[in-house]
Amino acid sequence: MRLLLVFLFAVIQVYDPLIDAENDRQKGIEYKNLGQPDSALYFLERALGQFSAVQDSFGIANVLVNLASLENTKGDFVRSFKLYHEALDCYQNLNDVQGLIKVNVNLANQQLKLNNINEAFAYYLKAENYSINSRIDTYLAYIYNGLGSIFLRNDFENRNLDKAEKYLNQALNIFEEERDIDQAGFVLNNLSRLHKERGEYSKAIDSYIKYIDFGLKENNNSSLLKGYHNISILYKEIGEYQLSLENLEKAEEIAISISDPINYIHILSNLVDVNMSLGNFHEAQFYLEKYKSLRDSIYDDDKMESLTELQVKYQTKEKEELLAKEIELNNERKWRNIFLTILSLALITGLCVIIWLNKKRRMEERNTLERQKEIETLKASIEGENKERKRLATDLHDSVGSILTAVRMIHSSYKNQVGESGTKVDMLLSEAAETVREVSHNISPTTLNRYGLKKSLEHMFESLPDTIEVNYSINLPEKGVGKEVERSLDYIVKELVNNTVKHANAESIELQINVIDDVVILTYEDDGKGFNTNDLAEGIGLSNIKNRVALLNGSVEVNSATGEGFLCSIEVLVH
């Protein structure tokens, strides 16, 4: 029975989903450390699904922290921040203080990396409170180092070197006890910066020497490289160039042995500076050439600025003069380019103006041609109308008039036989003949052609009904105003009178025609019922009047209102 229970327990352990989930989480962490983010993401997400399936909140929180760290290394800080806060909620529900400390430290490091100093400071303080209250010191050294580095920063509003030194020393003590050389080195580096700012160079040097001793004891080349390099920079800053050179040579040897080109190129740059300061110009040139060669192998064109500055620093006077000339040429090119740009803009603007003027001129020419075409059309229409009027007048006079005369002569021979009826017929025939004569004269202005405009209009006024009183004044020069103008004015006045007789129910007509400075001014007015010029559509008569005036390059103005009569003013040039 005992063997059976042991067997069943073993089977349960083999198929425990939590074990599988934790194994996947560890694989994800391993792949992340190996620099394989895609594989790490696959196993971590699979672990998250397994922990979620069994509702293991602790496992879920741990995986969320790992995923947040992975996204942080990938540069997706927004997603990383979100995942960290989801982990915080899980640890808060579990009341897991160590988890809360871990996440707050990670968030603080992230915000510090993003240069959000105040946010990083707040997260470090939360982590410190959790650690002190719970007496969990697992992350305390990281917290103290973070707080110390923030108090040391120039961009921190509550900068305090004393607090920075306190926190950094506390962190250093913990890292020394734990033999964590890398982290101790970071703390010592911060302490050295602090001592340099205070002018305590001997303390700064002691910090670096201590860091180097750690590296020698642990045989840690990375720490030794950083220690020798940093102390050499400090010696250079205080003018101890020989000591600086000795430590730089040691750093160079280590950089070559561990194949660290990034640090090596900075070491070479400092070797150039220090040898120049010592007057070792040959050695400085040697290291400068090595610097150039290494730079060309690891840097692209976007990282040339530091080399350019280094080369300029050690160029001869002749090269400096060439550089000055090149700057001068660049300035000349810049101003020339500015001038060409302004000139181009001016030319483009001028071209646009010319195009616009040409377009405007073409439009004006097109409008003029259309106007001339319209005038020619009107002229042809009026000439055709005049010819048709003349033909109709001739037909009425020669045909209908002759027939009426013949009928009247035949009727005269029978007039005495039919008595009173014959007399009446004779009167009707006479009236018809007179009507044909008047219509013929109206259609073809014979009076106008023979006697002029004034006689033609007077003859027309004499034929009006007695119910309409006509007052007129026609003052024309002896030389006349031109046949075309007289013909048009004759037509216009007769058309206006015709409209008054037919539509206005007027009792009086006023007409004035005067010539002032070679301008014929016609004013026509009646006291009829008038009309609203906005509501009434333009009739054929008024349209013909305007066309005739337009043909003479004149102007027409019509004023009327319901119950207020009609007024028309026309001005045309004497032709």
Side-chain angles (χ1 to χ4, degrees), residues 317-362:
K317 183 177 180 180
E318 181 181 358
K319 289 186 177 180
E320 290 177 353
E321 291 176 354
L322 289 174
L323 180 61
K325 289 181 179 179
E326 184 178 354
I327 293 172
E328 184 179 353
L329 288 174
N330 286 335
N331 288 331
E332 290 179 358
R333 283 194 293 268
K334 181 182 73 173
W335 286 110
R336 184 172 65 250
N337 290 336
I338 292 173
F339 171 75
L340 290 175
T341 300
I342 295 172
L343 181 61
S344 299
L345 289 173
L347 290 174
I348 291 171
T349 303
L351 182 61
C352 290
V353 171
I354 291 171
I355 292 172
W356 178 78
L357 290 174
N358 285 335
K359 186 176 180 180
K360 183 180 179 183
R361 180 179 56 79
R362 286 196 299 270

Side-chain angles (χ1 to χ4, degrees), residues 404-434:
L404 287 174
T405 301
V407 170
R408 186 178 179 186
M409 290 175 62
I410 294 171
H411 174 68
S412 297
S413 61
Y414 298 101
K415 178 169 64 173
N416 296 328
Q417 297 179 14
V418 295
E420 186 178 349
S421 298
T423 302
K424 187 174 183 180
V425 170
D426 188 55
M427 290 176 58
L428 290 173
L429 287 171
S430 297
E431 185 177 346
E434 182 63 23

Side-chain angles (χ1 to χ4, degrees), residues 5 35 45 120 122 148 156 158 168 191 198 222 247 254 283 293 307 309 357 360 393 419 429 448 457 489 520 554 560:
L5 290 174
E45 286 185 340
F156 183 50
N158 296 318
L168 290 173
L191 280 169
R198 286 176 169 172
S222 178
N247 283 280
I254 296 172
E283 286 80 2
S293 176
L307 176 60
E309 293 175 355
L357 290 174
K360 183 180 179 183
L429 287 171
L448 174 66
L457 294 180
L489 293 178
V520 181
S560 183

Side-chain angles (χ1 to χ4, degrees), residues 533-562:
T533 56
N534 294 325
D535 298 337
L536 188 65
E538 191 174 278
I540 295 175
L542 187 56
S543 177
N544 286 337
I545 290 172
K546 289 185 176 181
N547 286 338
R548 285 180 177 270
V549 173
L551 191 60
L552 298 172
N553 293 322
S555 62
V556 181
E557 183 177 353
V558 175
N559 292 301
S560 183
T562 303

